[in-house]
Amino acid sequence: MNQKVAVFRKEHFNAAHRLFCADWSAEKNWEVFGPCSNPNYHGHNYELIVQVNGVPDPITGFVINTKDLTKIVDEEVKARFDHKNLNLDTEVFKNLNPTAENIAIVIYNLIRPRISESLDLKIRLYETERNFVDYPA
Amino acid sequence: MNQKVAVFRKEHFNAAHRLFCADWSAEKNWEVFGPCSNPNYHGHNYELIVQVNGVPDPITGFVINTKDLTKIVDEEVKARFDHKNLNLDTEVFKNLNPTAENIAIVIYNLIRPRISESLDLKIRLYETERNFVDYPA
Amino acid sequence: MNQKVAVFRKEHFNAAHRLFCADWSAEKNWEVFGPCSNPNYHGHNYELIVQVNGVPDPITGFVINTKDLTKIVDEEVKARFDHKNLNLDTEVFKNLNPTAENIAIVIYNLIRPRISESLDLKIRLYETERNFVDYPA
Amino acid sequence: MNQKVAVFRKEHFNAAHRLFCADWSAEKNWEVFGPCSNPNYHGHNYELIVQVNGVPDPITGFVINTKDLTKIVDEEVKARFDHKNLNLDTEVFKNLNPTAENIAIVIYNLIRPRISESLDLKIRLYETERNFVDYPA
Amino acid sequence: MNQKVAVFRKEHFNAAHRLFCADWSAEKNWEVFGPCSNPNYHGHNYELIVQVNGVPDPITGFVINTKDLTKIVDEEVKARFDHKNLNLDTEVFKNLNPTAENIAIVIYNLIRPRISESLDLKIRLYETERNFVDYPA
Amino acid sequence: MNQKVAVFRKEHFNAAHRLFCADWSAEKNWEVFGPCSNPNYHGHNYELIVQVNGVPDPITGFVINTKDLTKIVDEEVKARFDHKNLNLDTEVFKNLNPTAENIAIVIYNLIRPRISESLDLKIRLYETERNFVDYPA
C-alpha cells in the first residue's frame, strides 16, 4: 500500500492584477476577459494551499515540519506577491497573464527547488471562494 | 511531468428530493433511508464543484474560460434542477434514486458532451457540509 | 457595565418548502416569489443559531448548559421540521408562508417557553449561506 | 417585544485599492499603512452583507423581497466597485481613503435612499476573512 | 445617527482545558460537564474576534489600526493562552472554570485597559464552530 | 471509464495532545516542535473526513450507507479520541507521536477492517483550518 501521507498548509496573500493580452484590442480583451481586463486593475484575497507528500519520519512523525514549509512560502511567495500588483510589481508576470492557472504554476516552480526531491509537491490556489485551481492536476 | 492544471468552479442549486425504493414497504424504506424517505420530501442546498483538467492556453493562460463553464452549468444543471423537486420535476430521477452519488453521475453525463475531449471532467457535489461525493472517484 | 454573556449554539435541519399565496394566481406568485413558488417544492439545509443571553453561574461558569439547549432544539425544532415538508408536514405552516422570517419567529415562539425568564433569546436562521435572518432584530 | 426581523443578504465584489495619505511622505505612509500603501495597489475579495430590519408583511412573510435588495446592491454597489480600482476608478474614493470603515459608510449612504424609511439598514463588509467592519456599529 | 463603525479582527489560539468543580464528585462533574470533565483534559482551536467600536479618524479612515490591535492580542491573549493548558499553565483559570463564557470575560478584562476609553470593546469566542459566546452580550 | 464514486462523511472530535520525543531534551523538543511540545498539553478541534470509493448499489444508489459509516466512526474513532488526551488516555499514542500524520494513519487502520474489501478508504484530518493531512496520499 501507498505509505505516503499528504501534508497541507494553507497561507494567504492579497494582490491586484489584470488579465489581458497586449496584442489584442480593448474590445477583444473585454470579450475574453470581461471586467478582469479593467486597465486600472482589480484584486483578490488569494488562498494558497501547499501540499507535500512523503513518508513521515519515524521519530518526529512529520512528513515535513510545517514551520519550515511556512518559512519557504514566506520567502518565495509572500515576499514576492503579498500586497503587490502582480502585473506591475513582479518580473514573472510582466509578460505572463496572471490567471490563477499561471500563478499556481509559477508558485510551484518557486517552491519545488526548496523541497527535498523525495517529496511530491502540489499547489492549490483560490482566486475566490468559487474559482480555484490545482497544479499539477 | 504532468503539465495539466485543474480548474474548479463552484455553483449551487436548491432542490427537494426523497430517497426511496418503490418496490419496498414504508418500513423497509425507513430502515434503509431513515427520514430521507419522508413521502412529502425534504430538501438541500446543493453545492456543486465542476473540475476541468487541461493544459492552459499559452496566450490567455486559461484551461477553460470560467464564463463558458458557468454558462454550461446554468444550461445543463441549474435550468433542470434549481428550485425543483428532483423526484417529480425531472425525467432522469423519475426512476433513479436521487442520492448524491446518482446526482453527481447525472451531472457528469450532462456536462461531459459540452466540454472539449481534450479536457478531463470531475464532479464534486455537497448535499450538506458533512455529506459529499466525487465522480469519478 | 452589562454583565451578561451571549451563548450561541448552532444546529441544522433539512426541509422542503414552497413560498406562495393561495389567494394569488400562479403568475402573481411567480412575480413575487419567483422559482421559490414551484408547486412541487424545493428545499434547503437550514442552519439555526440559538442565542441565549444571561449572567454565567458563578460555580459552573455556564449561562446555560448547551446540553440542555441542544435537547430543547431537538424536541421543539428538529422533531418538527427536520427532513420534513414545511408546507405539508407541519400544522404551523399550513396557513403561514414558510419564509425565513416566519420560520425564525415560529422557532422563537417554540423555544421561548422552554428557557428561563431571566434569559434573553434570539434566533438566527440561515436559509442559504447568502440569505439569513435574525429574530428579534 | 420587538416585532422586527433582520434580513441579511450576502453579496461580493473584487477590487484593487491602496491606503495612503497624499500629504504624507512614503515613510510615514509605510509606518501607518504598511504594505497597504504599496503605490501600485493590491486588492481584495470583498464580502458585503446588507442587513435590513423591519416587520414582515403579513401576506408575503417578507421584510423585503431579496430580489429587490439584490437589484439595489447590483446597481449601487457592484456597478460602481466590482472589478474596479477604488482609488482610480471611482469619484468617491479619489479623496477619501478606501479603508473598510470608509467603504462601509459609503455603501450605507448609497443604499439608504433606495430602502423604505420604515426599514433600518446596516452594512457589514469583510475585507478579508479576518478583517471586517459594521456600519452603523 | 450613530456615526460609530465597528471594527473586527479575527485571531486564533489552541489550548487544552477541563471543565469541573473541585468541590464536586466525579459523578456530579460528569453529570454537569459530561466528557468536558475528563481529568486528563481535552482541547480546542479557539477562534477569537475582537470588536472595537468608534468614529473613524478623518485622515487615516481607521477606527483603530489593526496592526496595533493584533499586537495587543498577541501580548495579552496569545502569549498567555496559545498552546497552553488553561487549567495548569495560567493563573487566572486555576480557580475559575475555563468555560467559553469565562474565557471571553477574562480576555475582555485583559484587552480593555489597552484600548482608548473612547472606544467600545466586545469579544466573540468560538470554542467550536457550533459553540460560541459574546461578551458583553 | 472509472465507474467508482467517492463518498465523503465529515465528523469531528476534540482532544488534547503534546508533540515531543521522550529521548530528547526540552531544548531539542522546543527546537523541533515549538510550543506544540508544551509539557501540559494543548488541544484541537479535529475535523475528520472519511472517504469511501466504490460503485453505487443499483437499487439504493449508495456506495455505502452513511448511517453505517457514522456508526463505524463513532465506535472506532470518537469513542477512543473524543474529549480525550491523546498522549495519556489512549494506548496507541503512548509511544507514537500524535502528529496529524500519525493520527490519520491510526484512524485509517482502525476503520479499514470495518469496511468491505471492495471499497477504497482514505482519511483527511484537519488539525486546524490551516494544517491538514491525507492518508494515503
Side-chain angles (χ1 to χ4, degrees), chain C residues 1-12 47 49 53 59-63 65 67, chain E residues 19 21 24 31-33 97 99 101-102 105 108 124 129-137:
Chain C
M1 203 190 76
N2 183 357
Q3 291 294 105
K4 285 189 177 177
V5 178
V7 172
F8 301 83
R9 173 70 190 168
K10 189 179 175 188
E11 301 281 348
H12 63 276
E47 294 283 347
I49 297 178
N53 296 6
I59 292 174
T60 63
F62 282 157
V63 166
N65 195 324
K67 193 172 56 175
Chain E
L19 300 184
C21 178
W24 292 353
E31 187 188 319
V32 173
F33 297 112
N97 219 11
T99 57
E101 289 93 325
N102 282 337
I105 294 171
Y108 178 93
R124 171 165 285 193
E129 192 200 353
R130 300 199 170 271
N131 292 317
F132 53 105
V133 299
D134 277 354
Y135 181 77

Side-chain angles (χ1 to χ4, degrees), chain A residues 3-10 49-57 60-66 69, chain B residues 124 132, chain F residues 8-9 11 13 17 19 44-51 93 97-108 121-137:
Chain A
Q3 290 293 105
K4 284 188 178 179
V5 178
V7 172
F8 301 84
R9 174 70 190 168
K10 189 179 175 188
I49 298 178
V50 179
Q51 174 185 350
V52 175
N53 297 5
V55 179
D57 179 273
T60 63
F62 282 157
V63 167
I64 186 172
N65 196 323
T66 52
L69 191 53
Chain B
R124 171 165 285 193
F132 52 104
Chain F
F8 300 84
R9 174 70 191 168
E11 302 281 349
F13 60 94
H17 81 152
L19 301 185
H44 295 291
N45 303 330
Y46 289 96
E47 295 282 349
L48 170 67
I49 298 177
V50 179
Q51 174 186 350
F93 294 114
N97 219 11
T99 57
E101 290 92 325
N102 281 337
I103 302 173
I105 294 171
V106 163
I107 289 175
Y108 178 93
L121 176 66
K122 190 169 182 171
I123 300 298
R124 171 165 286 192
L125 184 75
Y126 286 82
E127 191 177 78
T128 69
E129 192 199 351
R130 298 198 173 273
N131 291 318
F132 52 105
V133 298
D134 277 354
Y135 180 77

Side-chain angles (χ1 to χ4, degrees), chain E residues 19-67:
Chain E
L19 300 184
F20 77 113
C21 178
D23 297 340
W24 292 353
S25 66
E27 290 70 25
K28 176 82 188 267
N29 274 309
W30 180 265
E31 187 188 319
V32 173
F33 297 112
C36 295
S37 63
N38 177 32
N40 284 329
Y41 313 98
H42 64 286
H44 295 293
N45 303 330
Y46 289 96
E47 294 282 348
L48 170 67
I49 298 177
V50 179
Q51 174 185 351
V52 175
N53 296 5
V55 179
D57 179 273
I59 293 174
T60 63
F62 282 158
V63 167
I64 186 171
N65 195 323
T66 52
K67 192 172 56 176

Side-chain angles (χ1 to χ4, degrees), chain A residues 17-113:
Chain A
H17 81 153
R18 177 199 179 194
L19 301 184
F20 76 113
C21 177
D23 297 340
W24 292 353
S25 66
E27 291 69 27
K28 176 82 189 266
N29 273 308
W30 179 265
E31 187 189 317
V32 173
F33 297 112
C36 295
S37 64
N38 178 31
N40 284 330
Y41 314 99
H42 63 287
H44 295 292
N45 302 330
Y46 289 95
E47 295 282 349
L48 169 67
I49 298 178
V50 179
Q51 174 185 350
V52 175
N53 297 5
V55 179
D57 179 273
I59 292 174
T60 63
F62 282 157
V63 167
I64 186 172
N65 196 323
T66 52
K67 193 171 55 176
D68 298 333
L69 191 53
T70 295
K71 187 167 180 288
I72 293 168
V73 173
D74 281 351
E75 293 172 0
E76 299 297 342
V77 180
K78 295 176 85 165
R80 272 187 180 83
F81 302 143
D82 190 29
H83 283 81
K84 295 290 170 59
N85 183 310
L86 298 180
N87 303 74
L88 298 181
D89 293 330
T90 75
E91 281 308 309
V92 68
F93 294 114
K94 286 238 159 79
N95 298 299
L96 180 67
N97 218 12
T99 58
E101 290 91 325
N102 281 337
I103 301 172
I105 294 170
V106 163
I107 290 175
Y108 177 93
N109 290 334
L110 287 167
I111 294 179
R112 182 63 269 186

